[in-house]
Amino acid sequence: MLSFYWHYYLISFVFFLLIRFLLSFARVKSKVLTYEEAINHVSEEEENECSGNDDKSAWQLGLNCQHVPLQFKRYSKSESLTRSEEYYELMNKRRTVRHFSKESVPIEVIHNVIKTAGTSPSGAHTEPWKFVIVKSQTIKEQIRQIIESQEEINYKKRMGKEWVDDLKFLRTYWVKEYITDAPYLILVFKQTYSVDANGKKQMHYYSEQSVNIAAGILLTAIHYAGLVALTSTPLNCGPAIKVLLQRPAEEKLALLLPVGYPNDDCVVPDIKRKALEELAVVH
Ligand SMILES: Cc1cc2nc3c(=O)[nH]c(=O)nc-3n(C[C@H](O)[C@H](O)[C@H](O)COP(=O)(O)O)c2cc1C
C-alpha cells in the first residue's frame, strides 16, 4: 500500500517543506532581529547593491583622486544655534502647492536650484540623477495628458478605497491644471547605472537614497529662491513620460515637480507637523 502511493507521499512532503521555507522567509522579513542576528544580517537591498560590482564597471576616480584641504567655515555655538533656528523657521514655511500662476520664472533660477541639488551626497560619488527641465507648453500638455489619463484609472481602480480616502484632505483628483500652468516642470530621473564615452558601464550605488536626498535639497533650494513646487510621483506614468522625453534605458522617473509661483487664490491644507518629541529619540 505504502509503496503504491509513494509518489503522493513524496509530493506532500516536498510541498510541506516548501511551505515551511516560505513561512520562515516571511518571518525573517518581518521580525525584529536580535543584536546577534542583526550584526550578521545583510538586507536584500544591500545584497543588490553589491551584486553589480563586477569588473565591467569603469570607476572614474580611483587612487588618482587627490585629497585637498576642506573648506569649512567655523561658527560659534551661539551662531550655530541662531542659524539652525533661522533655517528651521524658513523651511517650516515650505508648503506643497497645487495652484500655480502662469507667471514666468527666470531660467537662471531653475538652473541654480538644480545645481544646488547636484551638490547632494551620492553613493561613491556616482551622482545617479538627471534633472529634466520642461518649459515647452506642448510637452507640458503631452505630460498632462499622460498623467490625467493614468490618474483617472488610478483613482477609480488601482489605488483602492483606503488610499483614495487618505488623499481626501488634499482635495486632489485626476485633473492636474498645475502641470500646464506652472512655468517649469522639473523631472527627477534616477540613474541605476551610467555608460561612459567608451561604452563602459559604471554602477551607481545606493541610487535610490542618493536621488531622494538630491530631491530634498532641490526642494529646499526652490523654497529658498522664493518659488513653490509640488512633489509628485505620477503612478504608472514613468514609462510613457520617459519615452516622450527620450530618456535612456538606465533612467527611471523618480519625481515630477511643477515649479513656479502660487496663484493669487492658492490655498493649502491646514496640516500640523510632528513635534520634536515625536520626530526624534535620543540615546
Ligand atoms: C514622495 C511624495 C509623493 C507625493 N505625491 C504627491 C502627488 O502625487 N500629488 C500631490 O498633490 N501631492 C503629493 N505629495 C505632496 C504631499 O501630499 C505633501 O508633501 C504632504 O501633504 C505634506 O504637505 P506639505 O508638503 O505642504 O508639508 C507627495 C509628497 C511626497 C513626499
Side-chain angles (χ1 to χ4, degrees):
M1 180 83 168
L2 192 66
S3 62
F4 187 75
Y5 289 112
W6 69 269
H7 43 289
Y8 290 116
Y9 289 113
L10 184 65
I11 290 170
S12 307
F13 185 61
V14 170
F15 191 66
F16 168 74
L17 288 180
L18 185 69
I19 296 286
R20 273 196 59 169
F21 171 74
L22 290 175
L23 282 175
S24 66
F25 184 68
R27 266 201 299 278
V28 167
K29 284 206 101 177
S30 60
K31 101 175 183 191
V32 177
L33 303 176
T34 64
Y35 182 72
E36 275 71 28
E37 286 168 331
I39 210 152
N40 293 313
H41 183 73
V42 179
S43 72
E44 210 177 299
E45 293 81 27
E46 283 165 328
E47 249 171 30
N48 289 341
E49 289 301 333
C50 299
S51 64
N53 191 4
D54 58 25
D55 60 5
K56 275 185 287 171
S57 68
W59 182 225
Q60 58 200 352
L61 295 174
L63 290 173
N64 294 328
C65 178
Q66 299 293 313
H67 283 208
V68 294
L70 171 71
Q71 289 182 23
F72 178 74
K73 177 156 173 38
R74 175 82 199 216
Y75 295 103
S76 71
K77 304 272 188 300
S78 72
E79 280 172 322
S80 280
L81 182 59
T82 307
R83 289 171 67 88
S84 63
E85 280 167 358
E86 285 171 354
Y87 198 64
Y88 163 65
E89 294 299 340
L90 173 74
M91 291 316 303
N92 198 27
K93 294 197 172 70
R94 182 210 54 80
R95 292 305 313 269
T96 294
V97 160
R98 299 174 182 82
H99 312 283
F100 281 78
S101 149
K102 293 182 177 161
E103 187 181 341
S104 66
V105 168
I107 186 72
E108 293 79 12
V109 179
I110 301 297
H111 289 164
N112 285 337
V113 296
I114 289 176
K115 272 163 47 183
T116 308
T119 67
S120 170
S122 61
H125 189 52
T126 47
E127 303 177 280
W129 43 65
K130 180 72 88 179
F131 300 90
V132 177
I133 305 167
V134 175
K135 61 175 181 174
S136 148
Q137 201 59 23
T138 311
I139 300 179
K140 280 193 263 171
E141 274 157 22
Q142 289 166 318
I143 290 177
R144 179 171 167 183
Q145 207 195 359
I146 293 171
I147 292 181
E148 289 185 343
S149 64
Q150 288 301 312
E151 283 286 83
E152 183 167 5
I153 307 171
N154 294 337
Y155 272 82
K156 287 182 177 168
K157 289 191 187 145
R158 295 191 189 116
M159 282 160 39
K161 186 177 178 320
E162 187 178 348
W163 193 351
V164 172
D165 282 350
D166 286 346
L167 291 179
K168 279 194 174 144
F169 79 101
L170 296 176
R171 300 188 194 163
T172 56
Y173 60 121
W174 56 85
V175 178
K176 310 282 183 192
E177 291 98 347
Y178 51 73
I179 297 174
T180 43
D181 286 348
Y184 289 105
L185 304 178
I186 300 178
L187 292 97
V188 184
F189 282 86
K190 175 182 84 167
Q191 299 173 327
T192 45
Y193 62 92
S194 58
V195 184
D196 74 9
N198 302 319
K200 279 195 176 165
K201 199 171 168 184
Q202 165 68 60
M203 287 313 297
H204 287 175
Y205 309 100
Y206 294 110
S207 57
E208 184 84 27
Q209 291 89 333
S210 306
V211 87
N212 290 342
I213 294 169
I217 294 178
L218 176 66
L219 285 172
T220 61
I222 289 168
H223 182 66
Y224 188 72
L227 303 178
V228 292
L230 192 165
T231 309
S232 77
T233 44
L235 186 64
N236 277 1
C237 302
I241 293 175
K242 190 173 145 174
V243 172
L244 176 72
L245 299 175
Q246 300 174 348
R247 301 313 308 156
E250 65 272 20
E251 290 184 8
K252 186 169 182 261
L253 180 64
L255 292 169
L256 183 150
L257 308 172
V259 180
Y261 296 104
N263 73 16
D264 290 341
D265 308 320
C266 181
V267 288
V268 290
D270 185 15
I271 53 167
K272 302 281 171 282
R273 292 182 167 133
K274 285 182 178 177
L276 181 63
E277 309 77 61
E278 289 174 276
L279 278 173
V281 284
V282 183
H283 284 287

